[in-house]
Amino acid sequence: MNMKLTRRSVIACISVISFAVLVPIAMRAANTPGVLEACVNPGNGDLRLVDSSTPCHNNESRVSWSITGPEGPPGPTGPAGPTGPAGPAGPPGPSSSGPPFVWVCTPVRISNSGGGGAAELYVFNGGASSADVSVNFLDKNGNNLAGHAIPGTPSPGAYPGEANGVNVALAADHTRDLYWTPSAVTPGDGVTDVSYTIRIVSSQPIVAGMRFDFHPFEMPQVCHELSR
């Protein structure tokens, strides 16, 4: 029994000594980040881990390998997710998104005013080059009144402006100024030669406004750019 205990004691001692020797060797062998190095004896197949500064014996060959290893191929692409809900529609943009630029001034008549008051229309070309501008006085049904006699006795003259599609050149940073006398009387049908709206069509960005003389006041009128 004493021999068995002695043998077991010897084996335990050898195991402790081997562990104490191999662990420091493994720790030293890992002193090169990401790389393990070893000396291999091709005769008996023994392998011992070493650090980068330890030479191998004459009967050994040096080997090394990466701890991490090469990157594997990419995995398959996952399926596409479901389509999200549509967002709310944005507000309509102005005609400044591109030509033609369209402005509208209304109203352009003064009912039961007694007559005699003048009116002016101002068209400013804010573009970088000359603009082709068409000013159209329209009745309630959209008929162009250019050159038509303004109702009244005696007639206060004819409506200014151009026929549809006829343009007048307006240089950059210039202002076009048109005068007329709005009708103070309304024909029996309420339509014939009575202006209700001024439409301004331009190839360049413009700004438009007008004013009425309504004694003893001057009344500015705002013109609006149409949205498309």
Side-chain angles (χ1 to χ4, degrees), residues 28-57:
R28 288 198 305 271
N31 69 343
T32 301
V35 177
L36 291 177
E37 298 191 32
C39 294
V40 180
N41 186 331
N44 56 21
D46 288 345
L47 179 146
R48 60 189 181 91
L49 293 175
V50 297
D51 60 25
S52 58
S53 63
T54 301
C56 291
H57 299 154

Side-chain angles (χ1 to χ4, degrees), residues 18-101:
S18 299
F19 180 79
V21 172
L22 290 176
V23 169
I25 292 175
M27 293 178 64
R28 288 198 305 271
N31 69 343
T32 301
V35 177
L36 291 177
E37 298 191 32
C39 294
V40 180
N41 186 331
N44 56 21
D46 288 345
L47 179 146
R48 60 189 181 91
L49 293 175
V50 297
D51 60 25
S52 58
S53 63
T54 301
C56 291
H57 299 154
N58 293 335
N59 62 341
E60 294 176 329
S61 299
R62 194 177 200 88
V63 294
S64 63
W65 62 95
S66 171
I67 295 175
T68 304
E71 182 178 354
T77 302
T83 302
S95 63
S96 56
S97 58
F101 302 90

Side-chain angles (χ1 to χ4, degrees), residues 110 115-120 179-182 211-215 217 219:
I110 303 177
E120 276 186 285
Y179 289 85
W180 82 102
T181 301
R211 70 166 184 86
F212 284 104
D213 284 339
F214 189 55
H215 187 76
F217 307 106
M219 302 182 342

